Amino acid sequence: MKARIVIDKNKTVSRIDDRLYGSFIEHLGRAVYGGIYEPSHETADDMGFRGDVMEMIKELNVPIIRYPGGNFVSGYNWEDGTGDKSKRPKKMELAWQSVETNEVGIDEFQEWAKRAHSDVMMAVNLGTRGADEARNLVEYCNCETDTYYAEMRRKNGFEKPFGIKTWCLGNEMDGDWQICHKTAYEYGRIACETAKLMKWTDPSIELVACGSAHINMPTFGEWERTVLRECYEHVDYISLHNYYGNPNNDTAAYLASAVDMDSFIKQVAAICDEVKAEKNSDKTVNLSFDEWNIWFHSNEQDKHIEKWQVAPPLLEDIYNLEDAVVLGDLLITLLNNSDRVKIACLAQLVNVIAPIMTETGGRIWAQTIFYPFMHTSQRGRGTALEVSCGCGAYSAGGKKDIPYISSAAVISEDGGELTVFAVNRSLDESCGLDFSLSGYESFRPVLHTAMEGDDLKAVNTADDPKKVVPAEKDISDGIILSPHSWNMIVFQKTAQ
Ligand code: AHR
């Protein structure tokens, strides 16, 4: 198979917001306890944070991390995780039916995030709580006033505000599994009033309203419309969440997951613009895809995990090669929609549906999905360019016209490096790539890295952590994409 990639310097998608490479840490399973925090671990720092985890997260260069949930946040009292650790309450955590010790809270997490070179994207509880607790949290985190909550932060040892800029107005409030689930109208009203109070407390913050928990929610579409009609002028983004998977082992269909993501994004963007037109507003609400990933491997094992444990091993998906290819394709889709998707959070970061796995008290390793995220986060910064790719197409899982090749292109901030990310979705054919680079005639390929292999189900483990890793390809005979592969091709400007 052959395909031609056409790129034109004058045809850009958008400047990429760095927050496209965000991630997520929830108080769930072993994400916090046994993940980022384990005081007895041999690599722990002065605050009990695991050094090995921190180092691996730095390799991913994650600019923003959503916290503390997720479903967890809808029952969370943020004050429980502040101040003297010995006085913090141990609580029944209803979302995941676990025990929360509150050893880690916002006091610790914001410090951990700084050490990981990330910002915090903070979610407020709009389940059991409301506008008052949310505006108090903004004051605690961001204000320099001599008022109660800012003083409380100072008494807890933090003279300077944390400076948290991006905030989520609750989590998946459309889902009946959510603690204190709401109708679209009920949520739209509380989101509007909470947003007003939060922005009056700190006018510099940006707010994300909850969209649908996934595209197959029965209320999808109407939920976004109703919520935005209530709070349009007070919010900056609406969220999208979606997890993909291959539960029926139909890999051809699974490899087309990104087609569904693309359509989801375009539908939500259209609804935002519909409400904008109805309101005759000058303001554009953009998208925050603040939960996306592959999640299905652990579904069965999670049914057998005992309730009311501290840090039970929940949602510990082990990812294989085909998952890495799909994840790379989802990243390509986010890049190609970077004119509307300004924030995206890979859910999650450590142990819980995560690129990084640890043994509590032991080793650490990178899952297969670590690598496409690392490639795009490291090289996918700058401006996304439109890519037109002439290639064949296939049908699978009830979908037609699925292009075999999916690709995105990014020109670096300094204009010296052009990176093409590409997935070959064909299960059996390799594909030779041809490039037409208008405006980049002096650019030559200098690197082709790929994740490929015959065994689509191969995984990395603590004992065999490098079984599925990217490898550099020989480019002397051109760029060839192997079947079911993830690829990064770097072009550099040459002197003419
Ligand atoms: O990321 C795991 C869970 O998935 C989150 O808590 C929730 O928001 C979503 O349903």
Side-chain angles (χ1 to χ4, degrees):
M1 177 170 46
K2 287 229 168 289
R4 186 169 176 76
I5 289 202
V6 179
I7 295 167
D8 181 337
K9 190 177 187 173
N10 296 315
K11 292 190 181 162
T12 60
V13 178
S14 171
R15 205 198 157 274
I16 299 157
D17 191 314
D18 283 345
R19 293 174 299 176
L20 202 71
Y21 302 108
S23 190
F24 178 30
I25 296 266
E26 177 167 4
H27 281 252
L28 190 189
R30 296 190 308 119
V32 174
Y33 309 110
I36 62 167
Y37 178 80
E38 199 185 335
S40 58
H41 193 269
E42 59 178 10
T43 69
D45 67 10
D46 57 312
M47 286 183 76
F49 298 128
R50 275 182 72 152
D52 55 352
V53 174
M54 184 78 81
E55 283 320 302
M56 215 175 239
I57 289 173
K58 283 185 190 158
E59 276 182 66
L60 291 178
N61 195 10
V62 184
I64 192 163
I65 302 181
R66 188 164 172 254
Y67 176 85
N71 297 337
F72 171 83
V73 79
S74 299
Y76 185 51
N77 292 352
W78 64 265
E79 302 87 338
D80 292 349
T82 59
D84 185 348
K85 276 199 187 191
S86 66
K87 298 207 173 95
R88 294 190 191 174
K90 199 187 213 187
K91 287 200 167 163
M92 286 176 89
E93 196 289 288
L94 299 183
W96 301 103
Q97 313 261 295
S98 306
V99 169
E100 174 56 52
T101 64
N102 284 306
E103 256 178 276
V104 171
I106 183 59
D107 285 359
E108 292 74 28
F109 189 78
Q110 61 79 33
E111 178 57 32
W112 174 83
K114 277 194 191 106
R115 293 179 186 195
H117 306 156
S118 283
D119 290 334
V120 177
M121 178 182 190
M122 188 78 167
V124 300
N125 174 356
L126 293 188
T128 56
R129 304 185 111 189
D132 194 35
E133 295 86 354
R135 59 99 181 226
N136 294 341
L137 179 55
V138 176
E139 180 187 325
Y140 184 84
C141 292
N142 285 4
C143 292
E144 300 207 69
T145 46
D146 62 352
T147 50
Y148 185 82
Y149 289 99
E151 283 297 343
M152 179 172 154
R153 182 193 69 239
R154 288 188 194 97
K155 279 191 205 114
N156 289 341
F158 305 96
E159 183 54 38
K160 279 198 165 166
F162 304 151
I164 297 174
K165 289 292 166 219
T166 316
W167 295 72
C168 303
L169 293 160
N171 176 71
E172 294 186 355
M173 300 308 303
D174 59 325
D176 61 5
W177 60 86
Q178 201 66 215
I179 299 174
C180 300
H181 152 65
K182 295 183 172 33
T183 65
Y185 179 70
E186 285 167 347
Y187 172 70
R189 286 294 308 130
I190 193 177
C192 174
E193 296 306 319
T194 306
K196 277 163 49 185
L197 270 58
M198 289 171 76
K199 284 197 173 174
W200 287 345
T201 307
D202 178 357
S204 74
I205 61 175
E206 289 196 325
L207 295 175
V208 183
C210 286
S212 294
H214 55 80
I215 192 173
N216 295 319
M217 289 297 289
T219 48
F220 170 58
E222 211 33 54
W223 172 274
E224 281 75 3
R225 213 168 275 115
T226 308
V227 167
L228 286 173
R229 280 178 182 146
E230 295 307 318
C231 65
Y232 193 89
E233 294 300 341
H234 301 281
V235 303
D236 305 281
Y237 308 91
I238 188 147
S239 73
L240 294 83
H241 289 184
N242 217 81
Y243 293 94
Y244 303 86
N246 190 11
N248 304 318
N249 202 20
D250 179 351
T251 300
Y254 181 42
L255 289 173
S257 299
V259 174
D260 296 338
M261 182 193 240
D262 188 63
S263 149
F264 186 22
I265 291 170
K266 292 196 162 69
Q267 289 181 65
V268 177
I271 296 167
C272 290
D273 295 345
E274 178 192 328
V275 179
K276 176 181 181 176
E278 265 177 31
K279 292 191 175 284
N280 199 14
S281 174
D282 291 337
K283 172 181 167 180
T284 298
V285 167
N286 279 317
L287 312 187
S288 171
F289 212 129
D290 47 45
E291 282 191 38
W292 70 273
N293 200 349
I294 291 148
W295 174 13
F296 72 105
H297 294 286
S298 60
N299 290 352
E300 196 45 48
Q301 78 207 30
D302 282 357
K303 291 182 190 151
H304 309 289
I305 289 179
E306 219 178 289
K307 291 181 180 175
W308 312 121
Q309 299 184 64
V310 176
L314 284 165
L315 279 66
E316 300 206 354
D317 275 40
I318 300 300
Y319 294 111
N320 57 32
L321 173 60
E322 71 182 23
D323 296 325
V325 175
V326 169
L327 190 115
D329 205 358
L330 298 172
L331 283 156
I332 285 175
T333 307
L334 292 171
L335 280 168
N336 286 333
N337 287 285
S338 55
D339 54 331
R340 294 310 292 266
V341 183
K342 299 296 170 188
I343 306 167
C345 302
L346 174 68
Q348 298 192 7
L349 191 51
V350 185
N351 290 331
V352 173
I353 43 174
I356 297 168
M357 289 300 293
T358 69
E359 291 171 328
T360 301
R363 298 169 290 180
I364 183 168
W365 71 100
Q367 297 230 53
T368 60
I369 62 168
F370 181 92
Y371 298 102
F373 190 87
M374 180 186 81
H375 289 150
T376 43
S377 176
Q378 288 180 351
R379 304 256 194 181
R381 311 272 181 141
T383 299
L385 299 161
E386 284 182 20
V387 180
S388 123
C389 179
C391 63
Y394 69 104
S395 303
K399 274 199 285 287
K400 288 188 189 139
D401 301 325
I402 304 161
Y404 277 119
I405 307 300
S406 161
S407 54
V410 176
I411 183 76
S412 61
E413 213 77 77
D414 66 3
E417 198 166 87
L418 174 69
T419 303
V420 173
F421 302 102
V423 158
N424 180 0
R425 295 174 178 145
S426 169
L427 285 176
D428 37 41
E429 269 195 77
S430 57
C431 178
L433 276 193
D434 237 13
F435 292 89
S436 156
L437 305 178
S438 174
Y440 299 113
E441 283 80 6
S442 66
F443 282 61
R444 298 283 171 270
V446 293
L447 174 72
H448 177 188
T449 299
M451 288 184 81
E452 56 188 36
D454 294 334
D455 184 1
L456 278 165
K457 307 295 179 190
V459 300
N460 294 333
T461 59
D463 290 331
D464 196 357
K466 301 276 176 208
K467 193 171 169 73
V468 191
V469 291
E472 207 171 306
K473 302 214 10 159
D474 179 8
I475 51 176
S476 51
D477 289 331
I479 306 293
I480 298 174
L481 312 183
S482 299
H484 49 75
S485 62
W486 158 255
N487 302 268
M488 177 176 78
I489 304 125
V490 181
F491 295 78
Q492 276 170 2
K493 206 176 190 165
T494 54
Q496 279 187 318

